[in-house]
Amino acid sequence: MNIFRISWKYISARPLNTLLNVFLFGLGVSIIVSLMLFAHQLENKLEKNISGIDLVVGAKGSPLQLILCNIFHLDFPTGNIPLAEAEKLAGTRFVKEAIPLALGDSHRGFRIVGTNKKYPALYGATLAQGVWWTKEMEVVVGANVARQMGWAPGDTFEGQHGLDAAGGHHEDQPYRVVGVMDPTGTAPDNLILTSVPGVWAVHGEGERTDSIVAEKPSRLIPGILLAENESREITSLLIQYRNPMAVIQLPRIVNTQTPMQAASPAFETARLFSLLGSGLKVAHGLAYVIVFVAALSVFIALYNSMKDRRYDLAIMRAMGASRIKLFNSVVLEGMIISILGGTLGVLMGHGILEVIGLQLEEARKSGITGLFWINAELWIAAGALAIGGLSALIPALHVMRVDISKVLAE
Amino acid sequence: MITVQGLTYRYNKHFQLSFPALKLERGGACLILGQSGCGKTTFLHLLGGLRRIQEGSVSIRDTAIESLDDRALDHFRGRNIGFIFQQPHLIRALTVEENLLLAQYLAGKSRDGNRVSETLHALDIDKLRKSHINQLSQGQAQRVAIARAVINHPEVVLADEPTSSLDDENCERVIDLLLTAIKINDSSLIITTHDKRLKDKIPHQLTLTRT
C-alpha cells in the first residue's frame, strides 16, 4: 500500500466516470497531436518539393494553380506556353537552370510528365532498377507508381488522355517502363517521367510541318532542333535563378513582356499555408476547448468524490496521514487520469493520421503517415500532466483544510 | 500509559469545558460517561490529537502531545493511537486486507502480511481478508474496524460510542472483542459512551458533567 495505490484504488472504484474523463482528455489530445503531425509533415513535404525551384513560368491564370500543378502535380495546368518563348527565357542571363514540363496524359491518376533528366536530378532521384529513358515512349516511373501498379522495367501501358482517370486511352501508342526511381519523399514518387518529344508524339505534335532552314538545337529538350517559326508548346518551365538580380527582374520581365506568367513557389506556398492556417487554427481551438472541458470534468469528478470521501479522508488523517500526503494523493488522482488520457490521445492521434494516410488517395500519395514522432509531443505530454494536476488542485486544497475533529464528530 | 492533567477546552468566548484528570496504565480500560453535549467526543479528540490542546496536558508514553507540531502529531497519532468510531468507516474503495495495510502505511510502518494475518485471526475474520467492504455485514465491518485500530500495536485505543447503535447481543460481543484485542496487543482502552450496558464490563469509570 502506498500513495499511488491509494489514488489508483479510488480511480478504479469509479470506472465509468474515469473512463469518461480519460476519453475526453484523449479526444482533445488526439486532435492536437494529429493536427500537429499533419501540419508538420505537410510543411516538410511542401518545403522539400519547392527546394531548388525559384520560379515557375507557365500560361497566364492563377499563380497558385500554376504552382499546385507544376510542382505538386495536384491541380490542372493553366494552359500551354510556346516553346520558342520558353527557349528565349531560358537563354537570358538571369537563368541558371531551366527545366521544361509537358503535361497532358496520365495513367490511373499518375501523371505522365515530359521533361529532361534535370528534373529527377533536382530532387536527387536515383534509379532503383533499370536505366533512364533515351527514346520516345520510354518512361521511368516513381517509387509509388511502381509499387501500386506493380511495374518493373519491361512492362508496357497505355496513357490516358487528360490528368484524371476518366480520359480515353491512347491505344496505339503504348509506353514502355525502362526504369524505376528510388523513393524521394517528393513529387517524382508519383510521376511517370518521359521525354518531351514522347508526349508530343502521343498527341500528334511531334511531326514537323514546317521545313524552314536556320534550325538551331534546343537548350531545354536534348536532341531536337528548333525551327525558325517554332510552333510547338510545353506546359511550364521550372527556373533556378543565376543571381540575386533575377529575383526582382525575371518575374517582371515574364509578366510584362511575354504572354506567360511567373509565380514564386515560396510565396505561393506561404499564401496557401496562411489560407490553410485559419482552418487549422479553428480545429486547434476546438481541441483546446475539449481539453478544457476534460479538465473541468476531472475537477468536478474529484470535487464530488471529495464530498463523498470526507470521512475516508478524516479517518486517514486519524490513522496518521499528514495533510500534505492527502493533498498529494488527490493531485495524483488528477494526474493519473491525465496521463492515461494523454497517452490514449497521443496513440489515437497517430492512429487517426495513419488511417488517413492509408485510406485517402491524396494523403497516401503525399506520404502522410502516423508512424512519425515529433518532439512537440513531449510538450503535449507535459501539458496534459500539468492540466491534470491543476484540475485536482482545488479539491486537494479543500482536502488539506478539512477539520478532522468536526467531520469525525458528525 | 496515558496521563491527562488540567485539560480545558474553550469553544468560544462564552463556552468552555474543563475535563477531569485521568491516569491509565498500559493494559487498563476506562469508561468516559456523561450525557450528550458534555464534551465526551471533544475529550476523546483532545486525547487523540485530532483537536489541538489549548490548555492542560495529555501525555502518552511519556510524550506530551501538546508539544508536538502538526506533522509530528500526525505521525505520533498513526503510531500510538488506534481509533474506533460509532460507524466502522472503513475505506470502501479497498478490501479488508488493503484497509489494514493502509493503516500500516499511514503510520509509517512497513507492510507486514504476517501481522495482518495475526490480527485478522485474533478477531476470527481470517476468511474476510480479500473481501470488499460492501460485502461485509455490520458486525463483520465492526470487527475489521477493531482490527484496523489495533494493527500497529497502539499505546492506547480510543473508542467513541462503539456500541450505541448495536443490539444487546452485538454490544456484548463487541465489548468483549475490544477487551480481548487490547489485552493481546497490550494497549490501553478508553471508551466514551452513554450506553449503560457497558458499566458492568469496565469498572474504571469517569463521568463528565457540564460546568
Side-chain angles (χ1 to χ4, degrees), chain A residues 88-156:
Chain A
K88 218 180 344 175
L89 198 65
T92 64
R93 64 197 158 90
F94 298 119
V95 176
K96 182 177 162 203
E97 201 81 81
I99 302 169
L101 295 183
L103 304 176
D105 287 353
S106 64
H107 182 84
R108 298 273 177 91
F110 292 114
R111 294 183 176 194
I112 298 169
V113 179
T115 183
N116 61 29
K117 277 151 210 161
K118 285 178 190 162
Y119 181 68
L122 183 67
Y123 294 107
T126 48
L127 283 173
Q129 299 172 53
V131 294
W132 294 108
W133 70 89
T134 49
K135 294 197 282 282
E136 286 178 15
M137 308 316 290
E138 287 184 346
V139 301
V140 169
V141 299
N144 277 352
V145 183
R147 203 186 58 231
Q148 284 193 40
M149 300 307 299
W151 284 341
D155 290 329
T156 59

Side-chain angles (χ1 to χ4, degrees), chain A residues 1 9-10 317 320 405, chain B residues 45 51 74 77 91 98 111:
Chain A
M1 192 54 56
K9 285 285 174 182
Y10 274 115
R317 288 290 313 281
S405 174
Chain B
H45 285 185
R51 228 173 240 257
D74 288 330
R77 190 167 56 228
I91 311 290
E98 287 165 342
R111 52 185 290 173

Side-chain angles (χ1 to χ4, degrees), chain A residues 281-292:
Chain A
K281 260 183 207 152
V282 170
H284 252 123
L286 187 71
Y288 285 118
V289 168
I290 294 175
V291 169
F292 175 74

Side-chain angles (χ1 to χ4, degrees), chain A residues 149-341:
Chain A
M149 300 307 299
W151 284 341
D155 290 329
T156 59
F157 65 94
E158 285 154 4
Q160 285 164 288
H161 194 68
L163 297 179
D164 43 35
H169 289 257
H170 295 288
E171 287 178 356
D172 47 339
Q173 288 155 307
Y175 287 103
R176 200 164 66 83
V177 178
V178 295
V180 175
M181 287 180 280
D182 287 311
T184 59
T186 52
D189 287 358
N190 297 299
L191 296 177
I192 299 167
L193 303 181
T194 186
S195 65
V196 177
V199 173
W200 284 335
V202 173
H203 292 92
E205 286 174 26
E207 296 302 314
R208 300 268 310 276
T209 49
D210 49 89
S211 54
I212 312 293
V213 277
E215 293 174 325
K216 56 176 184 177
S218 164
R219 284 171 191 279
L220 298 172
I221 304 158
I224 73 159
L225 295 170
L226 297 174
E228 185 79 12
N229 58 343
E230 181 60 57
S231 64
R232 287 174 292 192
E233 294 181 325
I234 58 172
T235 308
S236 65
L237 208 53
L238 309 180
I239 288 174
Q240 227 170 49
Y241 293 145
R242 181 179 294 282
N243 48 42
M245 272 297 283
V247 183
I248 306 156
Q249 296 283 3
L250 199 57
R252 219 189 51 206
I253 292 172
V254 172
N255 288 333
T256 57
Q257 297 174 15
T258 73
M260 307 179 286
Q261 74 160 335
S264 152
F267 179 79
E268 294 303 327
T269 50
R271 203 162 67 94
L272 178 67
F273 235 78
S274 74
L275 290 174
L276 213 70
S278 50
L280 288 176
K281 260 183 207 152
V282 170
H284 252 123
L286 187 71
Y288 285 118
V289 168
I290 294 175
V291 169
F292 175 74
V293 170
L296 197 67
S297 175
V298 169
F299 163 72
I300 292 170
L302 284 175
Y303 197 83
N304 282 336
S305 86
M306 289 311 130
K307 275 191 204 153
D308 299 338
R309 274 155 60 184
R310 278 157 51 84
Y311 259 112
D312 284 18
L313 294 160
I315 297 260
M316 285 199 234
R317 288 290 313 281
M319 290 197 289
S322 60
R323 288 174 196 276
I324 194 75
K325 193 171 256 179
L326 293 187
F327 175 86
N328 288 342
S329 88
V330 175
V331 170
L332 200 59
E333 268 184 60
M335 284 182 159
I336 289 173
I337 290 173
S338 68
I339 288 174
L340 289 176

Side-chain angles (χ1 to χ4, degrees), chain B residues 58-140:
Chain B
V58 172
S59 89
I60 295 170
R61 197 191 254 168
D62 298 328
T63 303
I65 65 170
E66 67 273 15
S67 66
L68 299 172
D69 64 27
D70 282 354
R71 213 155 173 176
L73 183 59
D74 288 330
H75 189 67
F76 183 85
R77 190 167 56 228
R79 287 187 160 254
N80 296 291
I81 302 169
F83 287 94
I84 291 168
F85 304 96
Q86 192 172 342
Q87 299 295 320
H89 290 313
L90 301 168
I91 311 290
R92 293 189 168 273
L94 307 179
T95 63
V96 168
E97 180 181 31
E98 287 165 342
N99 264 280
L100 299 188
L101 291 172
L102 178 68
Q104 289 181 335
Y105 166 68
L106 292 179
K109 301 198 165 182
S110 56
R111 52 185 290 173
D112 180 352
N114 290 335
R115 174 62 188 155
V116 171
S117 310
E118 188 183 301
T119 311
L120 288 172
H121 184 70
L123 288 155
D124 200 20
I125 45 174
D126 313 59
K127 282 182 195 145
L128 301 179
R129 187 168 186 143
K130 301 284 179 195
S131 302
H132 284 275
I133 302 307
N134 298 338
Q135 300 163 343
L136 303 181
S137 69
Q138 175 76 12
Q140 287 172 330

Side-chain angles (χ1 to χ4, degrees), chain A residues 14-26 294 297 337:
Chain A
R14 43 185 162 86
L16 289 180
N17 194 284
T18 301
L19 206 68
L20 174 72
N21 289 333
V22 166
F23 186 72
L24 266 176
F25 241 106
S297 175
I337 290 173

